[in-house]
Amino acid sequence: YPDGGNVKVLGIDPTKKRKQLAYEIGTVFGQKEQLWTHLTPYDNFRFFGAIYDIPDGEMERRIEELSEIFELGLYINTPVRNLSLGQRIRCEIAASLIHKPKVLFLDEPTIGLDPVVKENIRALIRQMNKELHTTIFLTSHDIGDIEKLCKRIIIVNSGRIVLDDSMAHLKYHYLNKKTVEVKLHESVKLPSAEGITVLKEKGGYVKFEVDTAVMKIHDALRRIDTENVEDINISNIPLENIITDIYKSEGKTV
């Protein structure tokens, strides 16, 4: 129960109507299993369907639908304990959707997964939102999850919201800095100028940051002898750095 304030999910107060709300939401915890490991995914789905009072015929249709969406056919009858972590997370998400929840809460669903499996899970989450029209709340410390999945981003520090904005606006408003990496045939020293911060210089390699609010990127590149350039890469600064700067601007440490 809260110390103060109030919250409603789908118009329901969870402290007063917890059981009613449970029929409308689903949850997946990346670090906590909800599936019975000695049962198969199919048996787990049947089990959760019974908990949510789903009639037999509807339950079978739902299992078939989720199995097709999440491509579970090859291992739906394999005990969960014998599945890989990526396969288990797919089944965890499918189990949380068995009762057609309107809202799905995902708590670090990609934690501990390798890059390929992470991308597969992210694709499934996008598919759920698009095809099943499920509202998804995602908590994650993985910036890749946030950047690739979220339309809206809320940054919380010490229990207080310090930013609530769209991902598109966040990038447009805060991505005014570019990182430039240049490999040169010969070593040269980059001329200093307002709006340019040299991050690394070693031999023929130069890495610097350009504040495009102060200096346009093409003006910064003119300071380099193009005939001496062997390779060049221009990228946005990582979203992680932007979030860190937002924390710092609030005068607090994370």
Side-chain angles (χ1 to χ4, degrees):
Y1 292 93
D3 296 322
N6 58 78
V7 64
K8 286 189 177 181
V9 182
L10 302 170
I12 302 170
D13 185 334
T15 65
K16 296 177 180 176
K17 297 181 179 178
R18 182 184 62 82
K19 190 173 291 188
Q20 179 184 342
L21 180 60
Y23 280 85
E24 304 294 343
I25 66 172
T27 56
V28 176
F29 301 99
Q31 301 185 71
K32 185 179 179 182
E33 295 178 349
Q34 63 178 339
L35 299 176
W36 294 88
T37 57
H38 61 285
L39 297 179
T40 65
Y42 174 80
D43 290 333
N44 270 286
F45 299 155
R46 293 278 307 181
F47 173 74
F48 285 112
I51 287 177
Y52 288 104
D53 302 321
I54 302 174
D56 249 18
E58 184 182 339
M59 190 189 304
E60 288 297 330
R61 286 193 297 272
R62 186 66 174 157
I63 291 172
E64 186 178 344
E65 177 186 11
L66 291 170
S67 178
E68 184 177 338
I69 291 172
F70 289 91
E71 298 178 352
L72 308 179
L74 292 177
Y75 50 85
I76 195 168
N77 291 308
T78 301
V80 171
R81 65 173 177 268
N82 294 334
L83 301 181
S84 69
L85 182 57
Q87 291 170 338
R88 183 181 65 77
I89 292 295
R90 280 175 177 258
C91 293
E92 292 275 359
I93 296 174
S96 71
L97 295 172
I98 199 73
H99 58 296
K100 294 187 177 180
K102 295 176 182 175
V103 180
L104 179 64
F105 292 93
L106 299 176
D107 183 23
E108 302 204 52
T110 63
I111 192 168
L113 301 178
D114 66 61
V116 175
V117 178
K118 276 187 180 184
E119 196 52 49
N120 288 339
I121 296 299
R122 289 167 182 161
L124 286 174
I125 292 171
R126 287 191 292 267
Q127 187 178 0
M128 275 191 295
N129 181 241
K130 182 179 179 180
E131 296 182 9
L132 304 180
H133 308 294
T134 308
T135 298
I136 298 168
F137 278 82
L138 172 77
T139 65
S140 181
H141 286 88
D142 188 322
I143 299 301
D145 286 346
I146 299 166
E147 194 166 12
K148 294 182 179 182
L149 288 174
C150 299
K151 297 175 183 176
R152 177 184 176 193
I153 181 169
I154 299 172
I155 299 175
V156 179
N157 195 15
S158 299
R160 188 169 64 90
I161 293 175
V162 296
L163 183 136
D164 181 353
D165 208 340
S166 70
M167 178 60 72
H169 186 265
L170 177 74
K171 287 185 174 182
Y172 177 79
H173 187 70
Y174 287 94
L175 288 181
N176 60 324
K177 292 181 180 178
K178 303 284 184 181
T179 299
V180 182
E181 296 177 88
V182 185
K183 188 177 180 182
L184 305 166
H185 293 293
E186 298 177 3
S187 177
V188 294
K189 191 168 183 65
L190 190 70
S192 61
E194 187 181 2
I196 292 180
T197 304
V198 177
L199 304 175
K200 187 176 182 180
E201 277 184 316
K202 187 176 181 180
Y205 174 78
V206 182
K207 182 179 181 180
F208 59 95
E209 190 176 89
V210 181
D211 187 342
T212 55
V214 177
M215 177 181 288
K216 294 186 182 300
I217 192 73
H218 60 78
D219 290 332
L221 295 177
R222 283 175 182 165
R223 296 176 172 271
I224 304 171
D225 179 7
T226 54
E227 292 185 1
N228 192 24
V229 173
E230 185 177 327
D231 194 13
I232 187 169
N233 180 57
I234 303 173
S235 58
N236 292 319
I237 63 172
L239 182 61
E240 190 169 0
N241 293 9
I242 296 173
I243 292 175
T244 300
D245 288 342
I246 292 170
Y247 277 124
K248 287 180 178 177
S249 70
E250 291 294 317
K252 293 184 176 184
T253 55
V254 180

